[in-house]
Amino acid sequence: MGKFVKIPIMGFMLFCVLAMVIEAENMKYKDPKQKLGVRIKDLLKRMTLEEKIGQMTQIERKVASAEVMSKYFIGSLLSGGGSVPKPNATAEDWVNMVNDFQKGSLSTRLGIPMIYGIDAVHGHNNVYKATIFPHNVGLGVTRDPELMKRIGAATALEVRATGIPYAFSPCIAVCRNPRWGRCYESFSEDINIVRSMTEIIPGLQGDLPANMSKGTPYVNGKTKVAGCAKHFVADGGTVNGLDENNTIVDSKGLFSIHMPAYYDSVIKGVATVMASYSSLNGERMHANTHLLTGFLKKRLNFRGFVISDWEGINRITNPANANYTYSVEASIMAGIDMVMVPNNYTDFIGNLTMLVNKNVVPMSRIDDAVKRILRVKFVMGLFEDPLGDLSLAKHLGSPEHREIAREAVRKSLVLLKNGKTAEQPLVPLPKKAAKILVAGTHADNLGYQCGGWTITWQGVPHSNLTVGTTVLDAIKKTVDPATQVVFNEEPDTNFVQSSKFDYAVVVVGENTYAEVNGDSSNLTIPDPGPSIIQNVCGAVKCVVVIISGRPVVIEPYVEKMDVIVAAWLPGTEGQGVADVLFGDYGFTGKLARTWFKRVDQLPMNVGDPHYDPLFPFGFGITTQAVKGN
């Protein structure tokens, strides 16, 4: 009797093995030789609703674990501003953390890898020892698309060095009012400069191959990252420059000022687009079906995915979270594909599941969103190579990248005034001087130099936030060894007058801020900046270097200052400031923003009928390098 039992069992086992082999052979989504469309279609048909909605969910690393990733099929993780594995984390710390989460995703039935995103908006700015490039407000001054491409490539390498494949960059807003707290994230008030700066996208992602159709996302392997054009659309045009406010603009203004950089980004293969917190003519962008789906996806043929901003869907209602179920419905139906939840993910998953089961959100909309997310993941090679490794760790803060950042600092400086008269220029400064004064709150402060979105969300107003060169350090390295450099952060007039300085360099400016915390109605240099200018410049020849995320009020002090340099937010490589001040390189920067006289003129942009600037758009005094100074 026993013999008869064994044969069917053996046969059944053989059948199971054969079935598994056939199934594996039919798993076309796992085969990189298959066409992209075939892989997407094959995987999508295998997915349950639960797995699909998981792909549409992005959560903060603080609420994640390998178990959460596998249980809820989470499609994406992010680090918000300042969200790090531990203080001063190394590349290895980052890689290990990301890989632990990824292993949770890979352990699921279908093994769909998650995509980890981070704000790398001026270099890999959350990460200790990373190269911090100038913020966009300075980079626009360079008018150098090739430099932007190199910055993108360097940033991609540093992001990949920490095991992360997705950067929420670039911001292609056109800031039309410097009162806006995000103005430093904008390259210019002029759309032509912003458009040219989208060359950072092929830097981040790689050059789109000639045979790829326009609008298809493209990421060229493990040294590149998926980019994100943001914030769609017109976030730089809000009323009074208030963050997350309403932009009132007609169709001509929208499509001639705020939209064109998105055409370029899509043509260059940008992988993702982030919706804006702001409203357009009263309609929240996170719920704007006409522009997210009708224009971006259908008209521009954008085939990557649209991601929400942090709790962006919650803010569709006023007040926020007034009706979360409605917010989920409105955002998904408008065309948001992935939701940056980022914390209460069970609420989001539960609401969207219920809306699909009740046929309020059709399965076709879910499938469209998931196809787009999978397309990006397949294109960037995440299925073949899901884990970060330490082979790229050497690129984090590398000398080569710091050299690019230093070049960017040099090219982003704008010389607004040089000498009390044009016949008596003061810069280039002589390196050989008996005694010079360096003064000001921002002279020896890396935190102020880097600005917001550096190590933490709001930035760190202290010198020791990361590794870099302050302006004071740079001056000491640049002057003749015999020159005495005296640093006094807040000198009084008596000190300056009695100390017999040859000249002084005063470095003052704005405090650190990000987003709404930076909204300003007065745009003044905070105390003690103005009093330092008065005390020093009234007593000795002075160069004033202004560290700021935008033009600020300086008209009352212009006469008193011998030299005025707009240095914006230069980042970690302060040596670039000294390079130009002392004539190793010439000043070449031209204003990419209008420098106003008074805030009551704002908004005021080049071409406006009431245009009456202190320094016009495009202004900048050029100097020549001095040999043997």
Side-chain angles (χ1 to χ4, degrees):
M1 188 72 184
K3 287 180 182 176
F4 291 104
V5 174
K6 282 179 185 171
I7 294 166
I9 289 175
M10 288 295 291
F12 178 71
M13 286 172 69
L14 191 63
F15 172 77
C16 289
V17 169
L18 281 170
M20 285 166 70
V21 169
I22 292 164
E23 172 68 6
E25 282 178 358
N26 287 337
M27 280 190 167
K28 292 178 181 173
Y29 79 92
K30 289 190 173 181
D31 180 2
K33 295 190 183 77
Q34 296 286 343
K35 286 185 176 176
L36 178 61
V38 171
R39 296 183 80 184
I40 294 168
K41 190 174 178 183
D42 180 64
L43 180 50
L44 193 70
K45 76 180 184 194
R46 298 171 189 276
M47 295 173 72
T48 64
L49 177 61
E50 192 180 10
E51 288 165 331
K52 290 175 181 177
I53 289 175
Q55 284 301 303
M56 298 170 68
T57 309
Q58 184 181 64
I59 68 174
E60 225 288 335
R61 54 159 286 280
K62 290 175 185 171
V63 297
S65 65
E67 293 71 36
V68 167
M69 301 306 289
S70 59
K71 181 178 178 182
Y72 294 96
F73 309 102
I74 300 295
S76 183
L77 283 180
L78 85 151
S79 277
S83 179
V84 298
K86 66 182 187 185
N88 299 349
T90 63
E92 187 175 8
D93 293 327
W94 281 95
V95 168
N96 290 339
M97 177 194 72
V98 175
N99 285 350
D100 283 347
F101 292 132
Q102 185 68 281
K103 285 166 187 172
S105 296
L106 298 176
S107 72
T108 55
R109 181 177 73 94
L110 295 170
I112 303 172
M114 65 89 181
I115 183 171
Y116 196 111
I118 197 164
D119 283 283
V121 294
H122 61 139
H124 199 8
N125 50 260
N126 272 293
V127 177
Y128 183 63
K129 290 189 176 178
T131 308
I132 307 297
F133 293 90
H135 268 297
N136 289 354
V137 66
L139 295 177
V141 164
T142 71
R143 291 166 170 76
D144 189 341
E146 186 273 335
L147 173 63
M148 284 309 304
K149 189 172 183 179
R150 285 189 284 133
I151 289 171
T155 301
L157 273 174
E158 297 209 12
V159 172
R160 281 288 196 170
T162 56
I164 296 172
Y166 179 21
F168 304 129
S169 175
C171 177
I172 54 174
V174 185
C175 174
R176 304 288 285 174
N177 191 331
R179 288 182 171 125
W180 186 36
R182 302 193 83 147
C183 201
Y184 65 70
E185 298 184 54
S186 167
F187 293 109
S188 178
E189 70 192 45
D190 176 61
I191 184 55
N192 295 314
I193 291 177
V194 177
R195 292 187 78 169
S196 70
M197 295 291 118
T198 59
E199 197 60 15
I200 192 173
I201 292 168
L204 290 165
Q205 300 191 158
D207 288 305
L208 194 70
N211 63 348
M212 281 192 77
S213 58
K214 299 291 185 274
T216 303
Y218 178 72
V219 183
N220 185 20
K222 277 209 83 164
T223 60
K224 298 295 181 182
V225 295
C228 181
K230 66 184 190 183
H231 305 88
F232 189 83
V233 60
D235 49 334
T238 57
V239 174
N240 296 326
L242 291 174
D243 193 36
E244 304 183 22
N245 201 11
N246 186 30
T247 298
I248 299 170
V249 66
D250 60 15
S251 184
K252 183 181 177 217
L254 176 64
F255 290 104
S256 66
I257 296 171
H258 298 286
M259 190 66 83
Y262 286 95
Y263 310 157
D264 302 280
S265 300
V266 170
I267 285 168
K268 290 174 181 179
V270 75
T272 72
V273 171
M274 187 182 292
S276 177
Y277 283 134
S278 56
S279 301
L280 185 68
N281 299 323
E283 184 177 1
R284 286 280 182 194
M285 278 308 309
H286 275 73
N288 193 318
T289 310
H290 168 62
L291 287 175
L292 289 174
T293 297
F295 192 80
L296 178 63
K297 291 182 175 180
K298 293 186 176 170
R299 182 82 181 275
L300 296 188
N301 197 33
F302 172 63
R303 299 181 71 206
F305 67 81
V306 176
I307 188 168
S308 84
D309 208 332
W310 179 282
E311 292 185 348
I313 72 167
N314 309 51
R315 303 184 203 189
I316 288 172
T317 56
N318 191 10
N321 298 309
N323 185 339
Y324 189 61
T325 304
Y326 166 76
S327 294
V328 173
E329 177 193 340
S331 60
I332 301 301
M333 291 307 293
I336 303 285
D337 301 308
M338 181 182 283
V339 173
M340 192 184 292
V341 177
N343 297 313
N344 297 327
Y345 54 90
T346 53
D347 275 5
F348 170 71
I349 290 168
N351 272 283
L352 185 52
T353 304
M354 180 263 292
L355 289 165
V356 175
N357 287 334
K358 288 188 172 180
N359 296 320
V360 177
V361 173
M363 189 57 96
S364 58
R365 172 73 269 270
I366 300 296
D367 285 349
D368 173 61
V370 177
K371 274 181 199 168
R372 291 169 175 277
I373 293 162
L374 295 178
R375 181 176 292 123
V376 170
K377 290 182 177 185
F378 278 124
V379 159
M380 61 196 298
L382 269 184
F383 280 81
E384 288 69 58
D385 219 345
L387 297 174
D389 64 68
L390 289 170
S391 65
L392 299 173
K394 62 181 182 287
H395 295 294
L396 188 70
S398 71
E400 296 83 0
H401 294 168
R402 291 185 184 276
E403 200 51 51
I404 297 169
R406 182 173 168 181
E407 176 189 346
V409 174
R410 291 196 292 265
K411 291 180 174 178
S412 66
L413 302 175
V414 183
L415 183 57
L416 298 174
K417 182 182 179 182
N418 189 12
K420 287 285 201 285
T421 65
E423 293 74 41
Q424 294 178 294
L426 186 55
V427 295
L429 294 169
K431 292 178 183 176
K432 290 180 179 176
K435 188 165 145 185
I436 64 174
L437 171 66
V438 179
T441 46
H442 291 52
D444 193 31
N445 192 312
L446 212 52
Y448 282 148
Q449 214 169 280
C450 292
W453 288 112
T454 311
I455 304 300
T456 71
W457 176 40
Q458 292 295 323
V460 183
H462 305 298
S463 297
N464 61 350
L465 81 173
T466 187
V467 173
T469 305
T470 67
V471 175
L472 175 65
D473 293 334
I475 291 172
K476 286 177 176 176
K477 286 177 190 168
T478 305
V479 295
D480 189 85
T483 299
Q484 185 185 355
V485 179
V486 177
F487 175 57
N488 187 328
E489 192 168 300
E490 291 183 56
D492 59 31
T493 308
N494 290 337
F495 173 81
V496 182
Q497 286 175 334
S498 64
S499 299
K500 295 189 170 58
F501 294 112
D502 291 72
Y503 58 83
V505 179
V506 176
V507 193
V508 293
E510 292 191 294
N511 298 329
T512 66
Y513 57 82
E515 298 187 47
V516 68
N517 291 21
D519 286 356
S520 172
S521 57
N522 57 35
L523 291 176
T524 51
I525 296 172
D527 291 331
S531 62
I532 297 171
I533 293 172
Q534 301 280 11
N535 292 348
V536 177
C537 296
V540 66
K541 284 184 178 175
C542 72
V543 174
V544 177
V545 178
I546 300 164
I547 306 280
S548 67
R550 53 204 164 183
V552 288
V553 174
I554 59 170
E555 192 191 28
Y557 329 114
V558 167
E559 283 305 309
K560 192 156 268 193
M561 299 183 278
D562 294 276
V563 174
I564 308 170
V565 177
W568 316 107
L569 297 168
T572 50
E573 304 316 300
Q575 192 64 49
V577 177
D579 286 343
V580 183
L581 282 183
F582 291 93
D584 291 330
Y585 294 82
F587 277 95
T588 57
K590 306 286 185 186
L591 286 178
R593 302 208 57 78
T594 297
W595 204 295
F596 58 88
K597 291 176 180 172
R598 304 173 316 279
V599 288
D600 61 14
Q601 296 175 295
L602 300 174
M604 178 177 68
N605 295 287
V606 63
D608 288 349
H610 66 292
Y611 199 67
D612 180 28
L614 182 62
F615 300 106
F617 174 88
F619 179 79
I621 301 166
T622 56
T623 62
Q624 299 302 313
V626 179
K627 295 283 185 283
N629 177 8

